[in-house]
Amino acid sequence: MTTTPTSPGPLPTPVVGVDWLREALTRDEGRPVVLDVRWTLRPPPKTAKERKAAAREDPPGLVEHDAGHVPGAVYVDLDTELAGPPGPAGRHPLPDPDVVEETLQRAGAGPDSEIVVYDGGDGMAAARAWWVLRWAGVRADRVAVLDGGWPAWTAAGGEVVAGGEGVRRPGRLRVDAGRMPVLTAEAAAGVADASEGVLLDGRAAARFRGETEPIDPVAGHVPGAANLPAASLLGDDGRWRAPEDAAAALGPLVEGAGAVGAYCGSGVSAAMLVLGLEHAGLRPSDDPAALYVGSWSHWCGTGRAVETGPGTVAP
């Protein structure tokens, strides 16, 4: 017989399933805080008219949230609450710690809250949220992503609630920013150049090779980087590959590496690589891979060298 959990405890892994969350939401007390971070990647507006139009529009994720969400979930906007304003530092630079703290307190998070984040099923936004919360000082055993995101929840018959947020008691969580390692462009170049380091590029292979670049002004990759598309860490059903399968994909690239860094287009999907390394058991939570937050959107504007072609790819 399944017993109903009555109090929070350490999250079992950085990836939790629908059954775990559904049971946790039945607790008499200590229910997890659930963040809905559904998000759509949109090219940044180029003109004043486009910027004004974008400012008037609700984020697509908020529209989806209002149409239906996990009971008790609070919507969090990746572009404005999990990242700073786009600019020279990249399209999704580090967020303001005060904004993160206000967001988490609004969601009702306290110092010991379990926090589960979910997205639309591609893993990117949830991984970015997981990384930002870890960077903000949330303990590794207090934050996880929902495996498969919103599609997995609905496919399993999870309860769906429509409408905006109800009245909730503000939480008392205080942010202690800087708790995850980050790379500058210079440090990323150093990791890629180091004989015992590896810099993972999480973009699609065609973007890595420089054959196409749909968003940023320059195509190519950081010289010496190795390509492992972050999307390859998920199965066809949108769920995370089993730890042993993730280890088989990541292991040949990172085993024996003293320094491991990750980047992508703007520091969103690369968070999947950082999470995937922990999920696979290849990096402990107290020594995670470093994230180049500015990623390619920052690198290609620095005037640094650009490499094209196949480079190093996952086997």
Side-chain angles (χ1 to χ4, degrees):
M1 185 174 91
T2 301
T3 58
T4 300
T6 58
S7 61
L11 286 163
T13 65
V15 179
V16 297
V18 167
D19 289 343
W20 184 94
L21 180 58
R22 184 154 42 190
E23 186 177 18
L25 290 174
T26 68
R27 293 174 181 157
D28 296 327
E29 57 183 41
R31 295 181 185 87
V33 171
V34 183
L35 306 181
D36 180 345
V37 296
R38 280 177 280 181
W39 169 76
T40 300
L41 174 62
R42 294 182 291 179
K46 297 180 180 179
T47 66
K49 183 177 180 180
E50 289 178 349
R51 286 191 291 271
K52 288 181 180 179
R56 291 193 298 267
E57 295 177 354
D58 285 334
L62 177 58
V63 176
E64 294 171 349
H65 174 86
D66 288 345
H69 55 263
V70 172
V74 173
Y75 176 73
V76 175
D77 180 39
L78 186 150
D79 288 324
T80 60
E81 296 177 298
L82 300 176
R91 286 186 280 110
H92 291 103
L94 286 171
D96 183 331
D98 290 341
V99 172
V100 177
E101 182 171 284
E102 180 182 348
T103 298
L104 294 176
Q105 290 181 354
R106 171 174 62 85
D112 295 317
S113 295
E114 295 172 335
I115 305 174
V116 177
V117 297
Y118 72 89
D119 59 19
D122 63 9
M124 292 194 298
R128 170 70 180 220
W130 170 89
W131 186 91
V132 168
L133 267 59
R134 289 279 302 277
W135 171 82
V138 177
R139 296 201 329 254
D141 64 355
R142 285 293 182 268
V143 59
V145 302
L146 177 64
D147 196 13
W150 178 246
W153 179 263
T154 55
E159 182 183 356
V160 174
V161 176
E165 300 168 14
V167 177
R168 108 181 22 252
R169 180 181 298 175
R172 295 178 292 105
L173 187 146
R174 300 303 298 269
V175 161
D176 183 16
R179 294 296 179 172
M180 289 288 272
V182 298
L183 296 174
T184 62
E186 183 177 8
V191 171
D193 288 342
S195 61
E196 295 182 354
V198 60
L199 181 66
L200 298 174
D201 183 320
R203 296 174 300 164
R207 288 184 72 187
F208 175 81
R209 293 192 297 264
E211 296 170 2
T212 183
E213 182 45 65
I215 301 174
D216 294 307
V218 179
H221 59 265
V222 175
N227 184 222
L228 179 68
S232 68
L233 296 176
L234 304 183
D236 293 338
D237 59 359
R239 289 174 170 80
W240 282 82
R241 293 167 63 179
E244 58 271 22
D245 292 337
L250 288 160
L253 292 172
V254 304
E255 285 175 350
V260 178
Y263 80 100
C264 57
S266 67
V268 176
S269 63
M272 294 177 66
L273 298 176
V274 179
L275 192 159
L277 287 163
E278 286 195 21
H279 175 61
L282 296 174
R283 299 289 293 199
S285 61
D286 59 358
D287 185 24
L291 180 65
Y292 177 18
V293 181
S295 284
W296 188 249
S297 65
H298 174 255
W299 180 277
C300 68
T302 64
R304 292 176 177 272
V306 170
E307 190 170 75
T308 58
T312 302
V313 298

